[in-house]
Amino acid sequence: RVPADTMLVSLFASFCLSLVNARSTNNPPNILFILADDLGWANVGFHNEENTDISTPHIDKLVNHGLELNRHYVYAGCSPTRAAMQSGRLPVHVNLENDEGLLSPTHGIPTRMTTVASKLKDAGYGTHMIGKWDCGMATFKHLPLAKGYDTFYGYLSKSIDYFTKQADNDCNGVFFADLWENDGPATSLEELDRTTFVEYDFRDRVIDLIDSYADSETPFFIVYSMHLPHYPSQIPEDQYEVFEDDENMCGALNTNIWPGFTDKTEFMCRSVLQSQVNLMDRIVGQVVTALDTNGLYDDT
């Protein structure tokens, strides 16, 4: 039996290595890697056509017009999986720790290890990381810019509140906002937007990046590492869809579903999760539209 994420990581790493080896070609392709977080196998339409609660037409279209690799597996935890994807190596050769990472110097990718981004940067690509990192944060050498990315905008830990941007973990007993741009805080605590759904912010950054490459001769490598549909179970009020056969167990971890919706007896957690997935699909559609609008779709 093939170990957990061997094929997925090896295929991606081999593909990128072939690009580096072929750097003399006239038109290397752009690469957009969209990564969902804790997405259930049966929460997408192309795996569950009979469930009418599921609405993922944009992702379904990508699968139907592309290649579905349906026997590729990942590690059970966030950080080892992400470290494997970023480095092209199995977790056992990178890191098996799935702790919170803030105070652990061995969490994430070893500081002297190369990554897919660093190899593509050597091949002339513009490299950009948007969203969740979780590949090390104890020192500056663990951060995305030290791992081959030209730019980074997102959060470094496992999860943040979708609205307040507060991290799950604390630093010596003090909770902190986890939103970064390149190697520093994205904004001050006083100016931090605590009401906008953070996935909208990430989506806008990705689309702005795509727009910036419309007339560029430099190929791009963009990793859009989505927060959706990871914990916490939160959704904008206007994206909330109510489905049958529900429960409120997420109330044990959530303080709200959106700002103002705090009655835990009214939480409908499965509805929130599928609403997150359906929203994720709409955002994927918007990103794909940006590629098409800029004439980049066929080259990505």
Side-chain angles (χ1 to χ4, degrees), residues 158-171:
K158 295 192 176 306
S159 181
I160 59 174
D161 186 291
Y162 281 91
F163 295 98
T164 68
K165 290 75 176 177
Q166 179 176 298
D168 254 7
N169 51 301
D170 63 84
C171 180

Side-chain angles (χ1 to χ4, degrees), residues 269-285:
C269 303
R270 290 179 180 147
S271 293
V272 174
L273 174 60
Q274 193 56 51
S275 296
Q276 286 182 319
V277 174
N278 294 350
L279 174 58
M280 179 190 72
D281 180 78
R282 288 189 284 274
I283 289 174
V284 169

Side-chain angles (χ1 to χ4, degrees), residues 13-55:
S14 299
F15 171 61
C16 291
L17 181 62
S18 70
L19 291 174
V20 173
N21 290 336
R23 63 182 301 172
S24 62
T25 59
N26 292 328
N27 297 302
N30 301 308
I31 304 170
L32 173 60
F33 191 102
I34 301 177
L35 179 62
D37 198 353
D38 280 2
L39 173 64
W41 189 91
N43 287 107
V44 289
F46 64 92
H47 282 159
N48 198 349
E49 295 180 357
E50 62 273 15
N51 190 330
T52 58
D53 295 342
I54 295 171
S55 178

Side-chain angles (χ1 to χ4, degrees), residues 205-227:
R205 290 281 183 142
V206 171
I207 290 175
D208 286 346
L209 273 172
I210 292 171
D211 290 345
S212 73
Y213 277 91
D215 299 314
S216 175
E217 295 183 0
T218 301
F220 63 71
F221 173 57
I222 298 173
V223 176
Y224 179 13
S225 179
M226 304 182 84
H227 192 352

Side-chain angles (χ1 to χ4, degrees), residues 243-255:
F243 306 112
E244 297 179 354
D245 187 25
D246 217 323
E247 44 77 24
N248 63 359
M249 292 177 63
C250 61
L253 298 173
N254 271 46
T255 58

